[in-house]
Coordinates of all heavy atoms in Angstrom, one line a residue:
L16 N -60.9 -76.6 20.6 CA -60.2 -76.2 19.4 C -59.3 -75.0 19.8 O -58.1 -75.0 19.4 CB -61.1 -75.8 18.3 CG -60.4 -75.3 17.0 CD1 -59.5 -76.3 16.4 CD2 -61.4 -74.8 16.0
L19 N -56.2 -76.2 21.7 CA -55.3 -76.9 20.8 C -54.5 -75.8 20.0 O -53.3 -75.9 19.8 CB -56.0 -77.9 19.9 CG -55.0 -78.9 19.2 CD1 -54.2 -79.7 20.1 CD2 -55.8 -79.8 18.3
C20 N -55.2 -74.8 19.5 CA -54.6 -73.7 18.8 C -53.5 -73.0 19.7 O -52.4 -72.7 19.2 CB -55.6 -72.6 18.4 SG -56.7 -73.1 17.0
R23 N -50.5 -75.4 19.9 CA -49.8 -75.7 18.7 C -49.2 -74.4 18.0 O -48.3 -74.5 17.3 CB -50.7 -76.4 17.7 CG -51.2 -77.7 18.2 CD -50.4 -78.9 17.5 NE -50.8 -80.1 18.1 CZ -51.7 -81.0 17.6 NH1 -52.2 -80.7 16.4 NH2 -52.0 -82.1 18.2
L115 N -67.8 -72.5 13.6 CA -67.8 -74.0 13.7 C -69.2 -74.4 13.7 O -70.1 -73.9 14.4 CB -67.1 -74.5 15.0 CG -65.6 -74.5 15.2 CD1 -65.3 -75.0 16.5 CD2 -65.0 -75.3 14.1
V197 N -66.3 -73.8 9.2 CA -65.5 -75.0 9.4 C -66.4 -76.1 10.0 O -67.1 -75.9 11.0 CB -64.3 -74.8 10.3 CG1 -63.6 -76.1 10.6 CG2 -63.3 -73.8 9.6
D198 N -66.4 -77.3 9.4 CA -67.1 -78.5 9.9 C -66.5 -78.9 11.2 O -65.3 -79.3 11.3 CB -67.0 -79.6 8.8 CG -67.7 -80.8 9.3 OD1 -68.2 -80.9 10.4 OD2 -67.7 -81.8 8.4
S202 N -63.1 -85.9 14.9 CA -62.1 -85.8 16.0 C -61.5 -84.3 16.1 O -61.6 -83.6 15.1 CB -60.9 -86.7 15.8 OG -60.2 -86.2 14.7
L203 N -61.0 -84.0 17.2 CA -60.4 -82.7 17.4 C -59.3 -82.4 16.4 O -59.1 -81.3 15.9 CB -59.9 -82.6 18.9 CG -59.3 -81.3 19.3 CD1 -60.2 -80.1 19.0 CD2 -58.9 -81.3 20.8
E204 N -58.5 -83.5 16.2 CA -57.3 -83.3 15.2 C -57.9 -83.0 13.8 O -57.3 -82.2 13.1 CB -56.5 -84.6 15.2 CG -55.6 -84.9 16.3 CD -54.4 -83.8 16.4 OE1 -54.2 -83.2 15.4 OE2 -53.8 -83.7 17.5
A205 N -59.0 -83.7 13.5 CA -59.6 -83.4 12.1 C -60.1 -82.0 12.1 O -59.9 -81.3 11.1 CB -60.7 -84.4 11.9
V206 N -60.7 -81.5 13.1 CA -61.3 -80.1 13.1 C -60.1 -79.1 13.1 O -60.2 -78.1 12.4 CB -62.2 -79.9 14.4 CG1 -62.7 -78.5 14.4 CG2 -63.3 -80.9 14.4
F207 N -59.1 -79.4 13.9 CA -57.9 -78.5 13.9 C -57.3 -78.4 12.5 O -57.0 -77.3 12.0 CB -56.9 -79.0 14.9 CG -55.6 -78.2 14.9 CD1 -55.6 -77.0 15.6 CD2 -54.4 -78.6 14.3 CE1 -54.5 -76.2 15.6 CE2 -53.3 -77.8 14.4 CZ -53.3 -76.6 15.0
A208 N -57.1 -79.6 11.8 CA -56.6 -79.5 10.4 C -57.4 -78.8 9.5 O -57.0 -77.9 8.7 CB -56.4 -81.0 9.9
R209 N -58.8 -79.0 9.6 CA -59.7 -78.2 8.7 C -59.6 -76.7 9.0 O -59.6 -75.9 8.1 CB -61.2 -78.7 9.0 CG -61.6 -79.8 8.2 CD -63.1 -80.2 8.6 NE -63.2 -81.6 8.8 CZ -63.8 -82.2 9.8 NH1 -64.4 -81.5 10.7 NH2 -63.8 -83.5 9.8
T210 N -59.5 -76.4 10.3 CA -59.4 -75.0 10.6 C -58.2 -74.3 10.1 O -58.2 -73.2 9.5 CB -59.5 -74.8 12.2 OG1 -60.6 -75.5 12.6 CG2 -59.6 -73.3 12.6
M211 N -57.0 -75.0 10.2 CA -55.8 -74.4 9.7 C -55.9 -74.2 8.2 O -55.4 -73.2 7.7 CB -54.6 -75.3 10.1 CG -54.2 -75.4 11.5 SD -53.8 -73.7 12.2 CE -55.0 -73.5 13.5
R212 N -56.5 -75.2 7.5 CA -56.6 -75.1 6.0 C -57.5 -73.9 5.7 O -57.2 -73.1 4.8 CB -57.3 -76.3 5.4 CG -56.3 -77.4 5.1 CD -56.8 -78.5 4.1 NE -58.0 -79.1 4.6 CZ -58.0 -80.2 5.4 NH1 -56.9 -80.7 5.8 NH2 -59.2 -80.8 5.8
A213 N -58.6 -73.7 6.4 CA -59.5 -72.6 6.2 C -58.8 -71.3 6.4 O -59.0 -70.3 5.7 CB -60.8 -72.7 7.1
L214 N -58.0 -71.2 7.5 CA -57.3 -69.9 7.8 C -56.3 -69.6 6.7 O -56.1 -68.5 6.3 CB -56.6 -70.1 9.2 CG -57.5 -70.2 10.4 CD1 -56.6 -70.4 11.7 CD2 -58.4 -69.0 10.6
R215 N -55.6 -70.7 6.2 CA -54.6 -70.4 5.2 C -55.3 -69.9 3.9 O -54.8 -69.0 3.3 CB -53.8 -71.7 4.8 CG -52.6 -71.9 5.7 CD -51.7 -73.0 5.1 NE -52.3 -74.3 5.0 CZ -52.3 -75.1 6.1 NH1 -51.8 -74.8 7.2 NH2 -52.9 -76.3 5.9
R216 N -56.5 -70.5 3.6 CA -57.2 -70.1 2.4 C -57.5 -68.6 2.5 O -57.6 -67.9 1.5 CB -58.5 -70.9 2.2 CG -58.2 -72.2 1.4 CD -59.6 -72.7 0.8 NE -60.5 -73.0 1.8 CZ -60.6 -74.2 2.5 NH1 -59.7 -75.1 2.2 NH2 -61.5 -74.3 3.4
T220 N -53.0 -66.7 8.3 CA -52.2 -67.5 9.2 C -50.9 -66.9 9.7 O -50.4 -67.4 10.7 CB -51.7 -68.8 8.4 OG1 -51.4 -68.4 7.1 CG2 -52.8 -69.9 8.5

Side-chain angles (χ1 to χ4, degrees):
L16 178 62
L19 193 59
C20 285
R23 301 257 173 99
L115 281 181
V197 172
D198 177 357
S202 71
L203 180 56
E204 283 294 342
V206 178
F207 179 74
R209 273 181 225 133
T210 306
M211 290 300 122
R212 276 199 299 276
L214 295 178
R215 271 197 298 277
R216 272 199 302 274
T220 41

